[in-house]
């Protein structure tokens, strides 16, 4: 019997996480089935995913009614609902976490998107959520904005597992990796062990191509369509290998520190002319994570091609970004635009969700 294609990816050192959560997938046993069948070993969530889950079903209504009896704000009610799901999901993945000796089996919960530019607010809420979920295999998601970088360091220094989200550009990724290492050093200097701390840096892919590809045609670089995000990811992996090596890192590794794995996010193909498994296939490699929507997991299980690809064609990745620069396309400006738009993409569904909770809360009284 042919081995499941999604499961095969793990033989190359990459973990596949599900980019989705709701109550039904947990209660129905589907999440456990994905672990058993596909080897899925983690879950990521975000405000947009929760907005669809909570507004798209009645599964949350009873708890909304219960929480509405208190004086909690709409945002507090949301986090009450989300924490219930995250706790239940972390329990489903606890076996994966234990089997991997704490290296996998994580479920991620994001701080309020309204805090994306608020360093102190992010630090405060990250600790509150960490304590509220109270599971070793939860990761708190913090956006990799400029104000977020310091929040990442301070949160790691408190011993909190962090999933850095909304990374698009290479300079910012390097800042985030530095923040992680500095946070570990801070935690160690305070007299704590660091072997239990885990982190991923989530590098977003398809949105880069959505923005860049129309510019390529205008510059006569049509052959690079669909390739800039992958080229950027490969260069990020080069940075990763440089940062997590050498004397400074080795000193932490001797104390049990885990590397901050790169996580490939936004891996569904937005362009219908691209293969639906394009981004997954292009970036399979060791010590990485790929968080994948359910439909992309199903597509890869059906017709994905499994091979070690992350270290391939690094010269072509360098050349692609050089050609972009020579054509006058400023990738750093583009990635900053994507970061700004990414914050807004999470703010809008969160605002919509809070409005709905306000309506449901009123009906419960």
């Amino acid at each position: 019997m042919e081995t499941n294609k999604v499961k095969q990816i793990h033989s190359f050192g990459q973990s596949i996480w599900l980019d989705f959560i709701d109550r039904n997938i947990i209660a129905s046993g589907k999440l456990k089935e994905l672990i058993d069948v596909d080897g899925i070993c983690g879950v990521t969530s975000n405000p947009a995913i929760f907005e669809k889950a909570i507004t798209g079903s009645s599964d949350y209504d009873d708890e909304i009614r219960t929480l509405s009896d208190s004086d909690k704000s709409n945002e507090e009610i949301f986090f009450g609902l989300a924490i219930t799901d995250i706790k239940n999901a972390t329990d489903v993945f606890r076996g994966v976490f234990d089997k991997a000796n704490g290296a996998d089996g994580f479920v991620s919960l994001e701080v309020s998107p309204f805090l994306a530019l608020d360093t102190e607010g992010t630090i405060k809420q990250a600790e509150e959520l960490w304590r509220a979920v109270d599971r070793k295999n939860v990761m708190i998601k913090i956006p990799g904005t400029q104000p977020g970088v310091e929040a990442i360091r301070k949160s790691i220094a408190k011993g909190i597992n962090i999933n850095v989200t909304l990374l698009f550009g290479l300079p910012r990724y390097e800042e985030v990796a530095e923040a992680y290492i500095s946070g570990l050093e801070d935690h160690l200097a305070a007299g704590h062990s660091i072997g239990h701390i885990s982190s991923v840096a989530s590098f977003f892919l398809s949105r880069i191509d959505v923005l860049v590809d129309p510019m390529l045609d205008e510059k006569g670089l049509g052959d690079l369509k669909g390739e800039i995000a992958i080229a950027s990811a490969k260069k990020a992996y080069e940075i990763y290998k440089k940062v997590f090596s050498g004397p400074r890192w080795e000193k932490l590794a001797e104390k049990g520190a885990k590397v901050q794995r790169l996580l490939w996010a936004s891996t569904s193909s937005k362009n219908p002319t691209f293969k639906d498994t394009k981004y997954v296939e292009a970036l399979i490699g060791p010590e990485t994570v790929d968080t994948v929507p359910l439909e992309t997991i199903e597509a890869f299980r059906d017709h994905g091609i499994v091979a070690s690809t992350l270290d391939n064609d690094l010269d072509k990745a360098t050349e692609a970004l050089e050609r972009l620069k020579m054509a006058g396309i400023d990738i750093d400006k583009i990635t900053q635009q994507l970061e700004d738009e990414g914050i807004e993409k999470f703010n809008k569904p969160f605002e919509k969700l809070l409005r709905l909770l306000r309506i449901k809360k009123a009906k419960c009284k």
Side-chain angles (χ1 to χ4, degrees):
M1 186 175 177
E2 185 184 4
T3 305
N4 177 293
K5 288 185 173 70
V6 180
K7 227 171 199 178
Q8 285 180 31
I9 293 174
H10 296 274
S11 65
F12 294 99
Q14 184 174 83
S15 298
I16 301 297
W17 292 1
L18 175 66
D19 192 27
F20 177 76
I21 193 171
D22 68 8
R23 294 216 163 156
N24 181 61
I25 200 171
I26 300 169
S28 67
K30 175 69 174 174
L31 192 59
K32 180 65 167 63
E33 182 183 325
L34 287 166
I35 295 172
D36 297 338
V37 174
D38 297 296
I40 300 303
C41 45
V43 163
T44 52
S45 68
N46 62 46
I49 287 172
F50 271 117
E51 185 269 326
K52 288 177 183 176
I54 294 170
T55 61
S57 82
S58 59
D59 293 346
Y60 297 84
D61 289 359
D62 287 345
E63 192 174 357
I64 290 171
R65 194 171 292 109
T66 301
L67 292 170
S68 296
D69 290 338
S70 66
D71 58 356
K72 293 182 183 294
S73 68
N74 296 321
E75 187 168 305
E76 287 171 331
I77 290 173
F78 159 70
F79 278 112
L81 301 172
I83 286 166
T84 298
D85 282 3
I86 297 297
K87 281 183 174 181
N88 289 335
T90 54
D91 291 345
V92 173
F93 279 95
R94 185 56 194 254
V96 176
F97 177 81
D98 290 341
K99 188 176 179 180
N101 295 316
D104 224 327
F106 293 97
V107 180
S108 296
L109 173 63
E110 189 157 352
V111 298
S112 167
F114 299 156
L115 298 174
L117 302 176
D118 181 346
T119 301
E120 293 305 318
T122 296
I123 294 168
K124 181 174 181 289
Q125 190 172 79
E127 185 169 12
E128 289 171 352
L129 295 177
W130 172 255
R131 293 185 183 281
V133 176
D134 192 26
R135 299 289 192 277
K136 292 180 179 179
N137 58 324
V138 68
M139 280 190 175
I140 305 303
K141 290 178 81 171
I142 294 178
T145 58
Q146 190 61 61
V149 172
E150 183 63 15
I152 291 158
R153 174 176 177 168
K154 293 284 182 63
S155 298
I156 293 293
K158 291 181 178 182
I160 300 171
N161 299 328
I162 298 297
N163 176 339
V164 183
T165 187
L166 281 183
L167 292 174
F168 296 95
L170 298 176
R172 182 58 53 75
Y173 164 60
E174 198 154 8
E175 288 180 54
V176 161
E178 164 65 30
Y180 173 64
I181 290 174
S182 296
L184 289 177
E185 290 170 337
D186 295 342
H187 197 63
L188 191 62
H192 305 296
S193 63
I194 55 175
H196 65 284
I197 301 173
S198 291
S199 181
V200 293
S202 301
F203 201 88
F204 282 55
L205 299 170
S206 61
R207 293 186 197 174
I208 295 175
D209 288 333
V210 168
L211 193 56
V212 172
D213 282 358
M215 302 178 191
L216 298 176
D217 282 331
E218 296 170 9
K219 300 288 186 178
L221 299 175
D223 61 305
L224 293 180
K225 288 176 76 170
E227 298 303 321
I228 298 304
I230 291 168
S232 296
K234 287 177 182 283
K235 297 302 288 185
Y237 192 58
E238 278 192 345
I239 294 170
Y240 160 83
K241 289 196 287 188
K242 179 184 71 175
V243 170
F244 293 99
S245 63
R248 184 185 180 195
W249 174 250
E250 287 166 8
K251 185 177 178 182
L252 291 169
E254 286 170 3
K255 298 291 186 180
K258 298 182 180 77
V259 295
Q260 182 189 54
R261 290 182 291 174
L262 269 164
L263 178 150
W264 312 127
S266 187
T267 52
S268 59
S269 298
K270 304 294 191 290
N271 187 330
T273 65
F274 295 161
K275 186 178 179 182
D276 53 3
T277 54
K278 172 186 175 71
Y279 294 102
V280 179
E281 291 176 4
L283 297 169
I284 298 173
E287 296 184 327
T288 56
V289 180
D290 198 338
T291 183
V292 187
L294 188 56
E295 58 270 22
T296 307
I297 288 173
E298 292 169 348
F300 198 94
R301 188 193 302 138
D302 179 68
H303 53 262
I305 299 171
V306 187
S308 181
T309 52
L310 184 52
D311 274 322
N312 296 349
D313 300 323
L314 292 177
D315 54 339
K316 290 184 180 178
T318 303
E319 180 189 353
L321 295 180
E322 280 297 320
R323 288 176 64 193
L324 206 66
K325 185 177 179 181
M326 290 174 65
I329 299 175
D330 187 341
I331 190 66
D332 292 338
K333 186 176 179 182
I334 287 167
T335 54
Q336 183 59 55
Q337 179 183 336
L338 285 165
E339 180 186 303
D340 296 340
E341 290 175 355
I343 295 168
E344 187 61 22
K345 282 178 186 291
F346 286 158
N347 276 344
K348 284 186 176 179
F350 197 56
E351 289 166 355
K352 180 181 175 184
L353 175 58
L354 295 182
R355 285 196 300 271
L356 175 84
L357 288 174
R358 186 166 61 247
I359 293 167
K360 288 197 172 192
K361 187 177 175 182
K363 287 180 178 178
C364 290
K365 288 186 176 179

